[in-house]
Structure formats: structure tokens, C-alpha cells
């Protein structure tokens, strides 16, 4: 594989950022987000981190084809290249919720699907997919959280399933009255799971070891929790 090495032995490593739907894990417009903030806290020896923002689907294709080392975030639960080389220490545990309006009772996934469900195109919903496959005609796909939230508020669908952290962030950003929506516990369908840093298979070992050690230290000293609280 090709690695760009500068004259002073500094390696270029690409940090891949998803352009729209990953906030607050990554917020490219503000050069922030949980992963970005974690990486800013980590001193990676002899590395020049090159930020690259791409649309989500193109990002996944680029990861597969890239010959140069990269870093982003991933989970063992996702079926894409980001699940393969994960950090030993997760930086967060995600919880999924079902968002409805107060008028919509949540009795079962089938009862919600019957009235229509909106999901984000290209995202993974481990545990929910078997229900979706039974009634695909009842599932609508959109590109952004804002579009999904508006579909629920306008009554075009009964519910939207999403990461609680992402939904909280988007509702705050859109200044939506929390009385107008309800979060339903959903971890019996999509169990909580960890999200980690994700490395390319050719990521240099010395630098990865350094990142792993520092990430563990951030967790142990409570600095990771400080970053997470900022986006709650």
C-alpha cells in the first residue's frame, strides 16, 4: 500500500467524516463532534491528520478502496468496512429510541410499521431489520434526521427510530418543543451497543498503539465523559 511520508517522517493519515447525518458523533460544519473532539485530545506521533468530509455512501465506498491509512468511527454491529479494525476502548455506547408524537401509542413494532416508519437511508438498524423486511412497503427512507423528524411531526408516518444522542442533538438544534414528541424505550429491539474508533487494516502499528493507549487514558480519567456530556 502507498503511504505519503513527508521529509521529516510525518505520515499523512485521512480522518474520514460523514457529511450530514452523523451529528453529534461528527459535526463537519463546526469542525467538532464526539470523535473529532476525541482525536483533538490525542497526540498522534509523526502524523498529519487530513480531514476529509464525504457523503455517507461515498465515504463507505472510499474506505473500501483506499490504499492509504485512515481513521474514522465504527461498530462491530454495522455491516460495512468500519467494523473490522476497532479500538479496544469504545468511546460511547449508543441507545436507540422510537420517536412518535404523543397521539401515537407504541404497542409493538408491527403496530408502528402498520402506520408507517421512517429511517435514514444507508444506516444500520441491527434487530429492526427483520421487522422491516416483513413490511418493506411501510418503511420510508430519507437522507437527514431533520426530514425524518418532520415526517413524524406532520403525521406522515407513525415513528422514527434513531440513536438517542443524535435525536437529542437534532431536536435541540431544530428548536422543537419536547412536548410534541415522545421517546419510547427500544433496546429490546435494538440492544445498546458500543461505538469505537475504526482503523484501516494498514494503519501503522506504532501510531495505533499510541492512540489506543491515549483513548484508554481519556476513558479512565473521565475526560471522555466530559466530551460526551458536551453533546447531550
Amino acid at each position: 500500500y502507498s503511504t505519503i511520508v513527508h521529509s521529516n517522517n510525518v505520515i499523512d493519515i485521512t480522518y474520514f467524516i460523514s457529511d450530514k447525518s452523523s451529528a453529534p458523533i461528527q459535526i463537519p460544519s463546526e469542525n467538532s463532534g464526539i470523535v473529532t473532539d476525541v482525536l483533538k485530545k490525542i497526540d498522534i506521533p509523526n502524523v498529519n491528520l487530513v480531514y476529509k468530509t464525504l457523503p455517507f455512501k461515498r465515504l463507505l465506498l472510499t474506505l473500501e478502496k483506499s490504499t492509504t491509512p485512515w481513521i474514522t468511527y465504527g461498530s462491530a454491529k454495522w455491516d460495512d468496512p468500519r467494523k473490522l479494525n476497532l479500538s479496544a476502548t469504545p468511546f460511547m455506547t449508543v441507545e436507540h429510541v422510537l420517536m412518535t408524537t404523543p397521539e401515537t401509542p407504541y404497542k409493538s413494532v408491527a403496530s408502528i410499521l402498520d402506520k408507517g416508519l421512517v429511517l435514514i437511508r444507508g444506516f444500520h438498524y441491527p434487530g429492526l431489520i427483520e421487522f422491516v423486511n416483513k413490511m418493506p412497503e411501510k418503511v420510508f427512507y430519507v437522507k437527514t434526521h431533520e426530514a425524518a423528524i418532520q415526517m413524524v411531526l406532520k403525521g406522515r408516518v407513525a415513528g422514527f427510530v434513531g440513536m438517542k444522542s443524535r435525536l437529542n442533538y437534532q431536536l435541540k438544534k431544530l428548536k422543537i418543543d419536547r412536548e410534541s414528541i415522545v421517546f419510547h424505550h427500544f433496546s429490546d429491539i435494538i440492544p445498546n451497543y458500543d461505538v469505537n474508533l475504526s482503523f484501516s487494516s494498514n494503519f501503522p502499528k506504532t501510531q495505533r498503539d499510541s492512540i489506543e493507549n491515549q483513548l484508554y487514558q481519556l476513558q479512565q480519567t473521565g475526560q471522555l465523559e466530559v466530551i460526551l456530556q458536551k453533546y447531550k
Side-chain angles (χ1 to χ4, degrees):
Y1 59 87
S2 58
T3 303
I4 297 161
V5 181
H6 298 263
S7 54
N8 54 353
N9 292 332
V10 172
I11 307 164
D12 274 350
I13 287 177
T14 309
Y15 166 44
F16 280 107
I17 299 165
S18 175
D19 71 341
K20 283 195 181 78
S21 40
S22 62
I25 297 177
Q26 292 172 322
I27 312 169
S29 59
E30 297 167 20
N31 191 20
S32 64
I34 297 164
V35 184
T36 309
D37 287 5
V38 165
L39 288 176
K40 282 178 184 172
K41 284 253 182 217
I42 291 174
D43 179 32
I44 315 170
N46 302 323
V47 162
N48 175 42
L49 214 52
V50 181
Y51 285 45
K52 191 168 180 68
T53 303
L54 292 172
F56 182 66
K57 279 181 121 169
R58 185 135 55 94
L59 186 147
L60 295 184
L61 286 171
T62 307
L63 295 182
E64 277 182 11
K65 292 177 181 168
S66 177
T67 54
T68 52
W70 51 258
I71 187 168
T72 187
Y73 69 96
S75 173
K77 295 287 180 190
W78 299 342
D79 195 17
D80 66 49
R82 298 173 300 164
K83 74 175 186 178
L84 298 173
N85 297 286
L86 300 170
S87 60
T89 306
F91 62 83
M92 69 186 290
T93 300
V94 297
E95 176 189 352
H96 280 72
V97 291
L98 168 71
M99 189 191 98
T100 68
T101 60
E103 296 74 42
T104 305
Y106 171 44
K107 296 189 184 78
S108 66
V109 177
S111 70
I112 294 291
L113 267 170
D114 205 41
K115 300 190 195 91
L117 183 72
V118 63
L119 299 173
I120 303 284
R121 188 179 302 286
F123 274 24
H124 298 290
Y125 297 89
L128 179 63
I129 204 72
E130 59 194 83
F131 295 97
V132 168
N133 288 343
K134 284 178 193 161
M135 301 171 82
E137 73 284 357
K138 297 287 190 180
V139 184
F140 301 87
Y141 293 93
V142 293
K143 283 185 179 176
T144 66
H145 281 72
E146 184 175 355
I149 291 164
Q150 292 301 341
M151 279 185 79
V152 174
L153 290 175
K154 288 173 181 168
R156 290 172 60 195
V157 290
F160 169 42
V161 174
M163 279 186 198
K164 193 176 181 181
S165 57
R166 280 189 179 143
L167 270 168
N168 279 330
Y169 175 83
Q170 294 292 342
L171 291 166
K172 213 180 281 183
K173 191 176 144 201
L174 297 167
K175 297 184 170 62
I176 286 166
D177 176 15
R178 292 304 289 261
E179 300 291 309
S180 64
I181 60 105
V182 178
F183 280 178
H184 303 273
H185 191 64
F186 209 65
S187 57
D188 54 330
I189 306 296
I190 303 179
N192 295 356
Y193 61 80
D194 289 337
V195 180
N196 310 55
L197 293 179
S198 172
F199 303 91
S200 60
S201 56
N202 60 3
F203 201 93
K205 187 179 185 312
T206 307
Q207 281 79 0
R208 177 165 174 175
D209 289 347
S210 176
I211 293 169
E212 294 272 18
N213 288 335
Q214 291 178 71
L215 183 60
Y216 177 72
Q217 288 305 318
L218 289 178
Q219 185 200 53
Q220 294 301 301
T221 57
Q223 290 178 77
L224 201 49
E225 189 52 41
V226 171
I227 292 170
L228 292 170
Q229 286 300 327
K230 182 177 154 189
Y231 295 101
K232 283 193 172 159

